[in-house]
Each structure stands twice: as C-alpha cells, then as structure tokens.
Amino acid sequence: MEIFLGLAFLVLAAILAWVALTLWVMIRVLRHPPRRSISWALMSQASMTPDEAGLHVTEWGFRSSDGTELPAWSAETGDSGPLTVLLHDLSGSRIDQLDHWSEFGPSDVVIAYDRQGHGEAEGICRLVGQERQDLAQLLRQQGSESIRLVGHGL
C-alpha cells in the first residue's frame, strides 16, 4: 500500500509540474512573441522596406500610453477617405503590412506601427489591455474624425 501511495504521489507531482511548466511556456510565448523583421520578409520573399513595396512613407514614432517609443510609418495618399491604421498580428510587425497598403480603398493617410514587443518596438507584448491604450493614444495624436482599422490574426 505504501508503494502505491508513493507512486500516486509521484505521478500527481509530475502532472502538476507538467501543467505548471506548460502554463509558464504559454505565458512566456504570448508575452515575448517571435519578432518578424527583415529576416522574415527575406525568407518569405515579401517586401522588406517601404521602397521595395513602392511606397513613399515617413518614418516616425510615437510614445505609447506607458511611455514606450513605438516606431511607425505613414503615407499620405492624396485620396479622400478615412485615416487607415494597419494592425499586425501577434508575431507580426509593420514590415508584414507593406504589401497590403493599397488593398482597402481610398484613404487620406495610411499608418502602420509596431506594437509593443513586436518588430522594432521596445517593451513586451501585453496582449489586449496595453495595446488598446496604445492604439487610442495614436488615434488621439492623429486627431482624425474618420478612422478605418485593418487587422488580422490575434
């Protein structure tokens, strides 16, 4: 009986350790996603720079709501339409948005930026909470009355 209880305790301890390790890895991966950058664009044969994509952009940055500097590109299209903000997915960056700038109809200005912990941006990924505040900060700074948000993925 003692052997059975000892084995049951070891199995339970192993299961708890596996669950704890799995949760730790999931949280770590979500908060520090792989950064898609020029190496990703080169590997997937996508545009690596705005010039390669035929875009004439202004490179700039803005301070997020917590003070982190977030790099951005913007282009004035000369069309009448809303401000369009392109939002990349969890492991993406503004680089993987380059080939999509003209797919969403007329727009006055198109902006793509790296969210915290992605691309060239500092910080760590905080998923929805902080990213929503950062987007609100960007939109306040732009002061546009008409906005189009374009995103895909998580």
Side-chain angles (χ1 to χ4, degrees):
M1 187 68 169
E2 287 180 21
I3 293 175
F4 177 73
L5 288 175
L7 284 175
F9 177 76
L10 286 175
V11 168
L12 182 62
I15 290 171
L16 289 174
W18 179 79
V19 167
L21 180 63
T22 301
L23 287 173
W24 180 82
V25 168
M26 279 181 23
I27 291 169
R28 172 91 177 133
V29 167
L30 287 174
R31 292 185 58 100
H32 302 278
R35 293 179 183 237
R36 284 193 190 157
S37 59
I38 291 177
S39 59
W40 169 85
L42 182 64
M43 181 184 69
S44 62
Q45 299 179 348
S47 299
M48 292 186 286
T49 65
D51 290 338
E52 272 189 25
L55 301 170
H56 303 288
V57 302
T58 302
E59 188 163 357
W60 52 284
F62 69 98
R63 290 239 176 254
S64 69
S65 57
D66 70 352
T68 304
E69 184 73 19
L70 301 178
W73 289 323
S74 63
E76 293 186 19
T77 64
D79 296 332
S80 62
L83 164 70
T84 299
V85 179
L86 304 177
L87 303 167
H88 59 76
D89 67 357
L90 179 63
S91 64
S93 72
R94 61 191 164 141
I95 290 174
D96 59 311
Q97 301 295 313
L98 287 173
D99 296 327
H100 305 290
W101 280 50
S102 61
E103 296 177 1
F104 305 104
S107 184
D108 181 34
V109 176
V110 179
I111 296 175
Y113 71 99
D114 287 338
R115 298 182 337 216
Q116 288 194 37
H118 298 81
E120 297 175 358
E122 297 177 1
I124 60 171
C125 176
R126 298 201 182 136
L127 297 176
V128 179
Q130 184 65 43
E131 293 177 353
R132 186 176 48 221
Q133 293 172 9
D134 294 345
L135 177 60
Q137 179 76 8
L138 170 67
L139 296 175
R140 274 192 299 276
Q141 289 177 4
Q142 296 302 307
S144 181
E145 292 182 17
S146 180
I147 301 164
R148 177 188 301 136
L149 299 177
V150 179
H152 67 277
L154 180 61

